[in-house]
Amino acid sequence: MRKYISVLLAASVSLASSTIMADNNADANDLKDYFIKKFPGVTTDSLVNGAYALDEGLFMQWQDVEDNFPPYEDNLAKGEELYNKPFANGKTFASCFGDDPSAVRVKYPHWDSETQQVVTLEGDINKCLTDNGEKPFKGKKGNLAYVSAYLAYQARGQKINVVVPDDPKAKEAYEMGKQFFYAKRGQLNLSCADCHVYQAGMYVRADLLSPTVGHTTHFPVWRRKWQLADKNEDGFGTLQRRYDGCNKQVRAKPFKNQGEEYRNLEFFHASMSNGLEINGPGYRK
Amino acid sequence: MTKPSQRIAILLSALVLSTGLLSTAAMAADDAVAQGKALAFDRKKGNCLGCHAIEGGELPGNIGPPLIAMKARFPDKKKLYDQIWDATARNPMTAMPPFGKHGALTDKQVELITEYIHTL
Amino acid sequence: MMKQSKFMKSLLVTSPLLVLAACSDSPQQSADKAAAMPEKPAVMSSEQMAVPAVAQAPKAEESKAEPSATSADKAAYDAALAAANEAVDKAASVGGEWRDTRWKKSTFVKWTSPSGETVKGSFMTVAAKAAEAGDYAKAVELLETARFQGEMGYEQAMAQKQAGPVIGKSASAAAAAVSGDKDGYEELLKSTIAAADKAASVGGEWRDTRWKKSTFVKWVKPDGSTEKGSYVVIAEKAAASGDYTKAIELLEMAKFQADMGYAQAMEQQNAGPKLN
């Protein structure tokens, strides 16, 4: 009978029947098992290092950058400064996030039962600003990424723990994020999963594709690619900046920054790293 | 249009230099292969090197198999054309973009790339 | 002399063939696919968009000189614009809009205007510029590509609606499909039919397992069209199209239903009124 039930579960998900199965921890475990089998000798915990977990040579080079001269240090310090700088009304971000800056990052993303939507850290940073009569930070980089990076840095070592509550709307949001992740899109017809599940560990040109488990632990990231493209050589960007880039690479029109599609995607995507340590901000190629 | 007299002259010179005519045909085939290679290597066009190793191509990816022994793998050139035009027809899960179906390449471009790949 | 003319003859016969082999359209396939697909415009890629300014310049002057031709062109442009917008709106409504169709930030299409200015943008942005410059032919061509991209983006999003992980059990089915190995499918089909027969033998067969009149299972084919039927019927169609992954997935469900139908019938053998 148990066998039947598991077949039924699999079938009902794949046929997207009206029953919604949203066990994010089971999904995360399936993916972890998948990657551990795919990459002999690689531990689940090391997946927080992304593609560098898969290649010792690349890992050594990367460790060298992270340990000796992380290029993000100055802007990380700016993040701290911004976080503690009083608003015009005299309050600071602590009025929204509490007194302990190390306790913030781990709460995101989460389902907000009041507004019935997924809330991200970057979304709440800007909400805090507008609630206090300040202008929100623009876009997917700059100040928004600095503050987010500071909060990630403060939370290093804590474990990602995204919860999908027992609320049909929350489960639906999770399932939408999951479908988004696995759906092929754009003229090049590639899904997130094509590169970061099925082809993880392979090379596209000279780029080693990272496994999706461990992705969100190291965001925001400082990318060398972004650094080189920026006139101030600022390489910081948020997770949703990366979504934007990935969608453009497969020739799909990117979705709205912090819009429903990307928030739901982040809800699913972050869930896949449940149990893994936060190690953001990270340096990437 | 060339005049009949010109055509006769061309034919005569071809008779004398018969290898010249042979090379015209060969050049046309070479030209298709050369054009196909340019399209195959162009990052904004075929970008075959993104996923496949090809002799003479730098920094190839390895998602797809190396493009070697193509005549043995695709005795029927049309099958190779079809694979480039829409690889999802054979395998819906494939990571290979359906270049022709999605208009990332024109049918003519797929054809030229096929000509080139088939020589590998 | 005799030898040479024979050689020439053979050259005259074979050389056009060589040229044909190198340059002509592959027989059949283009036409076949065109029939199954939304009409694909001939021009697709950015480099082909770059038209020398010199070639365009006289055309613009001509169109200024002939207002009647312009209004006809304008009408064709308006129709193409409406059709493109409709197709792209439809794609966008299901999250299937592509990057270079209409998006303001795209720089994919390059076009040199009659005045020599090089314009970059999406197909629709550049089409608007071309129309502004009076080159309606170019504009319509670009809009046709935009419409095609809209249609394909919509089809793709619809085909991907059920997307989910293919790891573990379903992955082996997918692997079977990739290698073109249909043995797994055929074996499963046999055991499914046997299970359905067993369920039927005790009056326990369910509606959507293999019944010819069932329309319960919907399957979007790779070409975007939809098939309806029972699990077994659709599995057979999927297998016929070469999609063994889908076929096996459907047969697993059919087999499950057949087994459950049999178990249910057996459990219910002594069914009767329970009124107290």
Side-chain angles (χ1 to χ4, degrees):
Chain A
M1 195 57 205
R2 186 172 295 167
K3 195 175 153 200
Y4 283 148
I5 288 169
S6 71
V7 170
L8 181 62
L9 288 178
S12 62
V13 169
S14 63
L15 296 170
S17 71
S18 55
T19 327
I20 292 166
M21 305 293 163
D23 186 344
N24 61 335
N25 286 317
D27 285 349
N29 287 335
D30 285 349
L31 273 180
K32 286 172 193 167
D33 290 348
Y34 174 83
F35 287 127
I36 293 314
K37 274 187 204 140
K38 196 181 179 89
F39 309 121
V42 172
T43 63
T44 307
D45 289 343
S46 72
L47 292 177
V48 296
N49 298 327
Y52 307 120
L54 310 179
D55 185 295
E56 212 183 326
L58 291 177
F59 179 80
M60 301 288 274
Q61 289 172 26
W62 170 72
Q63 269 304 85
D64 198 41
V65 175
E66 285 277 354
D67 290 349
N68 297 320
F69 43 92
Y72 50 75
E73 269 188 330
D74 288 352
N75 286 330
L76 187 60
K78 270 190 203 163
E80 179 170 11
E81 213 178 290
L82 285 163
Y83 190 80
N84 294 314
K85 191 180 150 195
F87 305 137
N89 65 8
K91 292 185 188 173
T92 67
F93 277 108
S95 67
C96 304
F97 293 114
D99 290 335
D100 182 1
S102 74
V104 183
R105 168 66 181 85
V106 76
K107 295 176 189 159
Y108 294 91
H110 67 249
W111 177 255
D112 185 70
S113 55
E114 248 174 63
T115 57
Q116 291 282 289
Q117 60 178 6
V118 175
V119 172
T120 65
L121 177 56
E122 286 81 8
D124 262 6
I125 289 171
N126 272 337
K127 185 175 181 292
C128 185
L129 287 170
T130 52
D131 283 354
N132 283 286
E134 300 282 316
K135 275 189 187 162
F137 295 140
K138 270 190 187 164
K140 309 167 280 261
K141 52 184 181 180
N143 289 347
L144 184 62
Y146 306 158
V147 172
S148 175
Y150 166 67
L151 292 170
Y153 191 74
Q154 290 295 311
R156 276 190 176 186
Q158 296 172 42
K159 286 179 177 171
I160 302 256
N161 180 26
V162 179
V163 177
V164 181
D166 193 14
D167 174 335
K169 283 285 178 191
K171 291 179 178 189
E172 196 185 324
Y174 173 82
E175 288 297 331
M176 282 169 74
K178 183 174 169 182
Q179 189 272 346
F180 188 108
F181 185 86
Y182 284 100
K184 287 172 174 288
R185 66 185 68 247
Q187 190 179 36
L188 299 186
N189 206 47
L190 289 163
S191 67
C192 308
D194 278 335
C195 289
H196 298 291
V197 176
Y198 309 124
Q199 304 297 341
M202 305 302 276
Y203 282 87
V204 174
R205 292 274 181 173
D207 295 326
L208 183 56
L209 293 169
S210 57
T212 196
V213 171
H215 264 168
T216 70
T217 63
H218 52 265
F219 272 83
V221 292
W222 177 282
R223 287 186 82 201
R224 179 140 176 81
K225 186 181 169 180
W226 289 340
Q227 182 186 352
L228 294 175
D230 186 87
K231 60 179 189 303
N232 301 320
E233 294 192 22
D234 177 6
F236 257 136
T238 63
L239 183 61
Q240 296 201 8
R241 181 178 181 192
R242 194 69 191 90
Y243 293 166
D244 186 277
C246 277
N247 278 167
K248 280 189 281 196
Q249 279 174 314
V250 303
R251 302 187 185 176
K253 183 187 162 189
F255 293 84
K256 198 168 170 282
N257 183 36
Q258 299 297 332
E260 190 186 12
E261 291 89 354
Y262 282 168
R263 279 185 288 108
N264 288 346
L265 174 60
E266 189 171 331
F267 198 35
F268 166 78
H269 192 201
S271 289
M272 295 307 99
S273 295
N274 269 3
L276 269 60
E277 283 186 7
I278 293 167
N279 60 342
Y283 170 77
R284 288 296 182 275
K285 222 171 103 178
Chain B
M1 274 308 279
T2 50
K3 288 179 193 161
S5 60
Q6 281 177 320
R7 271 185 281 167
I8 289 164
I10 291 166
L11 199 65
L12 282 174
S13 64
L15 274 165
V16 177
L17 299 163
S18 54
T19 50
L21 190 58
L22 180 66
S23 68
T24 308
M27 266 165 63
D30 282 354
D31 194 40
V33 169
Q35 284 182 52
K37 182 175 180 176
L39 288 164
F41 279 35
D42 187 334
R43 281 172 188 262
K44 299 241 182 264
K45 293 290 187 323
N47 196 19
C48 305
L49 287 164
C51 298
H52 301 275
I54 301 175
E55 199 186 342
E58 281 173 18
L59 291 177
N62 64 356
I63 286 180
L67 300 181
I68 47 168
M70 297 310 287
K71 282 195 185 74
R73 284 164 61 194
F74 290 89
D76 180 359
K77 211 191 273 182
K78 184 185 179 299
K79 289 237 165 77
L80 178 59
Y81 175 96
D82 289 346
Q83 177 68 10
I84 300 169
W85 199 86
D86 178 17
T88 67
R90 198 171 138 262
N91 171 19
M93 289 277 296
T94 185
M96 180 158 161
F99 289 98
K101 181 185 174 187
H102 277 187
L105 297 167
T106 63
D107 292 356
K108 181 74 198 168
Q109 288 171 332
V110 174
E111 211 175 288
L112 290 167
I113 290 176
T114 305
E115 287 300 332
Y116 165 61
I117 301 293
H118 207 244
T119 65
L120 298 172
Chain C
M1 197 59 208
M2 187 62 198
K3 265 183 186 170
Q4 199 177 14
S5 80
K6 250 189 181 172
F7 179 48
M8 261 320 293
K9 240 183 200 171
S10 75
L11 277 178
L12 288 171
V13 174
T14 53
S15 59
L17 285 178
L18 283 172
V19 177
L20 274 177
C23 301
S24 72
D25 286 336
S26 325
Q28 280 295 316
Q29 59 207 11
S30 306
D32 288 352
K33 264 158 190 159
M37 308 294 311
E39 196 187 328
K40 186 170 71 171
V43 179
M44 291 292 173
S45 49
S46 59
E47 270 161 38
Q48 288 172 305
M49 303 300 160
V51 177
V54 188
Q56 293 295 320
K59 203 173 178 182
E61 274 164 28
E62 271 167 29
S63 61
K64 268 179 203 160
E66 287 176 289
S68 63
T70 304
S71 70
D73 288 349
K74 174 81 167 63
Y77 168 73
D78 287 341
L81 180 62
N85 268 319
E86 190 187 346
V88 185
D89 285 345
K90 198 173 162 192
S93 73
V94 292
E97 186 179 337
W98 291 359
R99 187 189 62 186
D100 305 310
T101 318
R102 192 170 64 181
W103 188 39
K104 300 239 182 306
K105 292 186 186 172
S106 165
T107 56
F108 185 74
V109 182
K110 292 180 194 72
W111 175 70
T112 305
S113 75
S115 60
E117 181 200 1
T118 296
V119 179
K120 286 185 191 180
S122 67
F123 284 96
M124 292 191 67
T125 323
V126 176
K129 297 264 185 193
E132 247 172 58
D135 191 345
Y136 288 111
K138 186 79 210 170
V140 168
E141 186 183 289
L142 294 169
L143 289 173
E144 277 171 6
T145 301
R147 180 187 51 77
F148 167 80
Q149 289 205 343
E151 286 169 1
M152 291 308 291
Y154 175 78
E155 275 185 25
Q156 177 190 47
M158 296 311 281
Q160 293 293 313
K161 261 194 155 172
Q162 320 287 335
V166 183
I167 54 180
K169 191 181 174 188
S170 41
S172 49
V178 176
S179 69
D181 175 21
K182 47 182 193 171
D183 293 354
Y185 160 76
E186 272 160 2
E187 215 175 281
L188 186 56
L189 181 63
K190 265 188 219 159
S191 61
T192 304
I193 298 297
D197 286 345
K198 193 175 163 194
S201 73
V202 292
E205 186 177 330
W206 291 2
R207 186 190 65 187
D208 304 310
T209 313
R210 63 173 174 179
W211 189 38
K212 298 266 179 290
K213 291 187 185 173
S214 165
T215 57
F216 183 74
V217 181
K218 289 181 195 69
W219 174 54
V220 181
K221 295 207 285 193
D223 68 6
S225 63
T226 307
E227 291 273 11
K228 289 181 191 180
S230 64
Y231 286 103
V232 170
V233 166
I234 298 299
E236 283 171 338
K237 292 201 170 162
S241 82
D243 190 347
Y244 291 105
T245 312
K246 189 76 200 168
I248 286 168
E249 182 191 313
L250 292 166
L251 285 182
E252 279 170 354
M253 196 62 195
K255 173 84 163 40
F256 164 75
Q257 285 206 348
D259 289 343
M260 288 303 283
Y262 176 77
Q264 177 191 49
M266 296 312 282
E267 273 174 24
Q268 296 293 317
Q269 256 184 351
N270 300 314
K274 276 189 186 158
L275 303 177
N276 293 315

